[in-house]
Each structure stands twice: as structure tokens, then as C-alpha cells.
Amino acid sequence: MANKSANKKTLSVYLYIPNIIGYIRVLMNIVAFARCFSDKKLFSVLYFISFICDGIDGWFARKFNQVSTFGAVLDMVTDRVSTACLLAVLSQIYRPGLVFLSLLALDVGSHWLQMYSTFLSGKVSHKDVKDSTNWLFKAYYGNRLFMAYCCVASENTNLKVLMML
């Protein structure tokens, strides 16, 4: 009986509102990147909506107490894949593309190091930096407005570079 209850709880995690938003983000990104070379305007709109949904899903997770490991991983992987695809597209448009591929390596590497150090220190979230000595980590993860500004500025810059063609 307990196993049936655990399976029902596990199934419900997949139907959490923030996770459904995550699935929609994945679908939007698939369509966006499938059309990125032929319809830049559609690509930009879908990519930007996906980006906005990235903030909304976290808000829903906290508001409805639907925080889950599955949702956190879905969100992080969707973010990394979206950024990686965008940088790969930019590296194909602007030659030589080494600067975009370097940014891709920096993005993946820095997130991997942050996540790995989080697990080694026994923390639950990579955003828990209250005991960090790094002022930049504290500023970025400790102030949601600053983090939002950095994310929006970065994505806006990437989309402007893409639209310049």
C-alpha cells in the first residue's frame, strides 16, 4: 500500500504547475530552434517567452509549494540546453565562432562547478550562497532583482546579436 502511495506522489510531481511550464518551455525551444534560421522573429518571440517562463515557473513552485528535485533539474537542463543552442547558432552565423563556443564552455563549466560544490557542501540549492566568501555570488544569488537584471541583459544581448543579420 505504501508503494502505491509513493508512486502516486511521484506521478503528481510530473503534473506540478511549474513542471508543466517547463514542458511548455522545452516545446517552445524545439520549435524556436527548428525555425531559427528561417524565421528570426518567430524564434526571438518563442525564445523570449521561454525565458520569461523560466522566471514564472520558479514563482509558481514557491507560491504553490510545488518545489521538487525533478522540477529543479528540468529547469536547469532546459536553461543550459537553451543557452547552448543559442550560442551554437550564433557561432554558425558569426565566423569565427570561437567567442560563442568559449561562452558556451564557460556557461556549462561554471554551472557544473557551482552545482558540484553545492552537493559537496551538503546544501540543497546551488543558490544558497549565504556563507560564501565570493561577493559576486552573494550579489547574484542573494538579490533576485540583480539576478533578473543580469539574466535579462544577457538574453537581450544574445537576441540582438542574432537579429542584426
Side-chain angles (χ1 to χ4, degrees):
M1 186 70 172
N3 193 21
K4 207 175 218 182
S5 175
N7 286 341
K8 188 175 182 180
K9 169 94 171 121
T10 302
L11 179 62
S12 69
V13 167
Y14 300 119
L15 300 177
Y16 280 179
I17 294 168
N19 297 342
I20 292 169
I21 293 170
Y23 309 144
I24 293 168
R25 286 184 64 210
V26 169
L27 291 173
M28 279 192 288
N29 283 321
I30 289 170
V31 173
F33 284 104
R35 303 293 309 250
C36 68
F37 292 111
S38 61
D39 191 346
K40 287 185 223 154
K41 194 174 222 176
L42 175 64
F43 168 80
S44 297
V45 168
L46 290 174
Y47 190 87
F48 187 73
I49 292 171
S50 173
F51 173 73
I52 296 299
C53 288
D54 183 29
I56 293 171
D57 67 356
W59 182 83
F60 274 107
R62 290 183 295 278
K63 174 134 177 87
F64 295 113
N65 196 25
Q66 294 184 339
V67 175
S68 67
T69 301
F70 174 79
V73 172
L74 174 65
D75 184 59
M76 183 184 59
V77 170
T78 303
D79 291 347
R80 300 290 59 80
V81 170
S82 299
T83 301
C85 289
L86 180 61
L87 291 169
V89 166
L90 291 172
S91 75
Q92 293 302 302
I93 295 172
Y94 295 98
R95 299 299 184 126
L98 187 59
V99 68
F100 297 108
L101 296 177
S102 298
L103 289 171
L104 173 57
L106 176 65
D107 183 59
V108 172
S110 64
H111 279 84
W112 181 82
L113 287 171
Q114 179 66 4
M115 292 300 294
Y116 193 66
S117 67
T118 297
F119 294 130
L120 286 178
S121 65
K123 294 179 184 175
V124 176
S125 172
H126 67 285
K127 295 178 182 177
D128 179 3
V129 294
K130 58 183 167 271
D131 60 344
S132 175
T133 58
N134 188 302
W135 67 270
L136 188 56
F137 275 13
K138 284 184 176 182
Y140 185 76
Y141 288 116
N143 185 330
R144 290 204 182 268
L145 286 176
F146 180 65
M147 182 168 61
Y149 172 78
C150 290
C151 292
V152 170
S154 173
E155 294 300 327
N156 188 38
T157 302
N158 290 335
L159 288 174
K160 280 184 178 178
V161 168
L162 181 66
M163 294 301 289
M164 286 179 4
L165 288 179

